[in-house]
Each structure stands twice: as structure tokens, then as C-alpha cells.
Amino acid sequence: MHRVFFRMSIQQQDIAKIVAGAAVGAGVLAAVRRMSKYTPPKVWKESEIRTNHGSNTSTSGAQTEKALKKGKHAIQLYGLATPNGAKPGIMLEEICEVYPDFDYDAWTVSISGEQFTSGFVELNPNSKIPALLDQSTTPPTRVFESGAILMYLAEKFPKTDLLPTEPSQRAECLSWLFWAMGSPPYFGGGFGHFYAYAAEKQEYPINRFTIEAKRQLDLLDKHLAKNEFICGDKYTVADVAIWPWYGATALGRMYNAAEFLSVHEYTNIIRWAKQLENTRPAIRRGRMLFRNGPDNDKPAYKGIPGLPERHSRSDWETK
């Protein structure tokens, strides 16, 4: 009898192990399937991809022939109402604050194909907004990449006093300016894409880039706990470069992800973001550049129109 009981116990234990093993195995298999829906081919071929990537292709250069529009002012800005597009708009409006006779033209460039026209590719061979043309030089000077545009304008219009000249202060400012060029691709192209825009929600890339996004926010929050502005007690091009991405995020305006990222925890970024928005008219106008309509839901933007194009200071006057 004891032998029968013992034998049955062993059999039951074996069955339990098999059942448990099967459950674990099924869970692992499901996880693996979730992680490996796509198996890369030996050689990637663009003709075989099944997902839509808009007008982007794996080759550079113009796709269609079309000249760029140009206005009467020396400075021509081409962009879109994105964080990167807001940076040079803010900078140009800061110049307007200091140089009474300065003005510029701004033109919306759609990223659904217009960035691949011959005229825009001639201005920026990388086919990305923003891009700037300075017609006051011979020959005209093209500037692409938002950080390069901010540096160019800060040096061309020194009375703005937004790029320090003292060596150590300048190094600090440029370090943060370049940080603001290298970090947002992980924040926007990484976190923003997989969280908000990707065709499928995938756990691994969302977690991977959320970790990086929150690390960046934590870095800025700790830095701004000790500094009024990015570079200490003075507003600079570093603030201009960082506000459109991280200020907007802290204010809950990016990717509908405020709750997911717990942005309320970053109180120092929120303080800085609100301070700049409420005290710098150029921040508010630059944010509204390339937009099709006003942002009446926010008190700070009352009376400021959205401008798909801008050709005069008077364009900001509500009709």
C-alpha cells in the first residue's frame, strides 16, 4: 500500500511539473513571439518592406523639382510646427526684440514630401527641417541643423547676448547646446515614435526609450534645481534649444504622455518652462510659428495667432 501511494505521489509530482513547465514554457514562448515577430533578412531590401514610412526612402536627394519660395528679407526660414522647427523661430523673434529694424520671412515646409523637393534639398541636402537662407551675403549662406542655425544667428546678431563670449561660459553653453542636438533623437525618434506613432505598441522599445527619456528629464530637473536657467543665471541659446522639447514635455504637451512619464515629478523643469513661457515673448511667438491656428486654451497665448507663413512683425497682430 505504501508503495502504491508512493508511486502515485511520484506520478502526481511528475504531472505537476509537466503542467507547470508547460505553463512557463507557454509564457516564454508567447514572450518570444511578441519579441520576434520580425526576423531580419540576410540582406535588407527597401522593395520588400511592408510598413509605411511616408515619403522617406533609403536614398538622399531630390524626388521632385520645385523651387523654394523666397521673400524680401535677408533671412529666410523654412520649417514646421515641431520642437526642432520652433528653435530658430524663437531665436529670430529674440533678434526682433533687440534689433528694431530686423525682420524675416518664414515658410512652412511639409514633411510629407516637400522636404524632398529640389529647392529644399539644395538648401539642406539632408532633407530635414529647419533650414535657413541668409541672402545678405554673397553668395547667400545656407545653414541647416537647428543647433547650427542658433549659433549662426547668435554670432551674426551679437546684441542678443545669447551666446557667451567668455571661454568657460561659452564652453558650458555650447556643451548644453550640443546636448540638445544629441538627446532629442532618443526622446522623439525613440520614445515618441514607439509610444505614440508606431503601427504596433511593442514593450521592449517603449521601455527602452522610456528609460532614456526619463533619465534625460531627471538630468535636467537636477540641473535646474541649482540653476535658474540652463547655463546658470543667464538666459542663452541653450534655453532656446532645450525649451521646445523638454519644456513642452514638462508642461504636458508632448505625445499625450504626461501621465505615463509622470512629468509632474520634474518640478524644476516645470518652474523653468513656465518662467520662460511667461516672461519671453519670443518663446510664445516662436512656438506659434508654422501653426495653422491660435492656441486659445492657454492664457499665455491669448491674442497670438498661428502663422503658417510670416513676413512682417505686423503678422503677429490679430486681425
Side-chain angles (χ1 to χ4, degrees):
M1 184 174 177
H2 290 293
R3 289 180 182 175
V4 174
F5 180 79
F6 179 75
R7 189 179 298 115
M8 290 177 63
S9 297
I10 293 296
Q11 289 175 345
Q12 290 171 347
Q13 291 174 17
D14 289 342
I15 291 171
K17 288 179 181 178
I18 291 170
V19 171
V24 172
V28 171
L29 182 60
V32 169
R33 284 175 176 166
R34 287 198 301 270
M35 296 288 290
S36 59
K37 290 182 178 179
Y38 171 66
T39 301
K42 187 174 182 180
V43 177
W44 184 87
K45 294 181 181 179
E46 187 168 5
S47 60
E48 297 178 359
I49 63 175
R50 298 186 300 274
T51 52
N52 179 28
H53 295 273
S55 53
N56 286 318
T57 69
S58 60
T59 57
S60 62
Q63 298 177 7
T64 58
E65 291 292 323
K66 182 181 178 182
L68 275 180
K69 295 178 180 179
K70 295 177 184 176
K72 66 180 181 179
H73 301 298
I75 299 295
Q76 304 291 304
L77 176 65
Y78 303 87
L80 195 63
T82 66
N84 285 339
K87 298 174 194 176
I90 293 171
M91 185 66 196
L92 288 167
E93 291 297 326
E94 292 287 3
I95 294 169
C96 287
E97 292 286 313
V98 179
Y99 289 79
D101 297 327
F102 174 80
D103 221 332
Y104 69 96
D105 294 289
W107 309 87
T108 294
V109 172
S110 166
I111 56 174
S112 60
E114 196 172 356
Q115 78 273 35
F116 295 110
T117 59
S118 57
F120 191 78
V121 171
E122 184 178 350
L123 184 60
N124 182 1
N126 195 38
S127 297
K128 305 290 184 184
I129 62 95
L132 180 142
L133 182 67
D134 183 355
Q135 300 181 113
S136 70
T137 63
T138 305
T141 300
R142 73 177 187 184
V143 193
F144 55 91
E145 296 296 329
S146 60
I149 294 172
L150 295 185
M151 281 191 66
Y152 180 82
L153 292 173
E155 291 176 340
K156 186 177 180 72
F157 298 95
K159 286 197 293 184
T160 58
D161 196 25
L162 294 178
L163 184 61
T165 55
E166 192 277 324
S168 62
Q169 294 175 3
R170 182 182 177 88
E172 178 74 5
C173 183
L174 291 180
S175 294
W176 282 107
L177 177 61
F178 279 62
W179 179 89
M181 302 304 109
S183 296
Y186 293 96
F187 197 99
F191 170 76
H193 174 77
F194 285 105
Y195 180 80
Y197 304 130
E200 295 179 352
K201 302 295 185 188
Q202 298 181 22
E203 182 179 359
Y204 177 80
I206 289 177
N207 285 340
R208 167 67 182 87
F209 288 110
T210 298
I211 289 171
E212 175 60 15
K214 289 183 70 66
R215 187 196 68 81
Q216 292 177 14
L217 290 167
D218 184 66
L219 166 68
L220 282 177
D221 196 64
K222 288 175 178 174
H223 179 71
L224 288 167
K226 302 181 242 182
N227 298 278
E228 182 178 5
F229 302 104
I230 295 296
C231 294
D233 60 358
K234 191 173 183 181
Y235 175 77
T236 68
V237 290
D239 297 280
V240 173
I242 293 172
W243 189 90
W245 278 102
Y246 300 93
T249 297
L251 296 175
R253 300 171 187 168
M254 296 291 287
Y255 308 122
N256 196 27
E259 183 177 7
F260 181 78
L261 292 174
S262 301
V263 298
H264 65 278
E265 297 176 351
Y266 305 108
T267 56
N268 300 300
I269 305 179
I270 293 171
R271 183 272 308 162
W272 165 81
K274 288 182 177 180
Q275 179 180 344
L276 295 194
E277 186 168 72
N278 291 330
T279 62
R280 309 291 306 192
I283 290 276
R284 300 192 293 275
R285 292 197 296 265
R287 178 176 173 265
M288 297 307 295
L289 194 62
F290 304 124
R291 292 179 180 262
N292 291 317
D295 192 356
N296 293 324
D297 293 337
K298 300 175 179 62
Y301 292 88
K302 185 178 181 180
I304 304 177
L307 297 181
E309 294 183 11
R310 181 215 180 276
H311 306 291
S312 169
R313 293 170 183 246
S314 62
D315 289 345
W316 291 115
E317 299 172 8
T318 53
K319 302 296 188 291

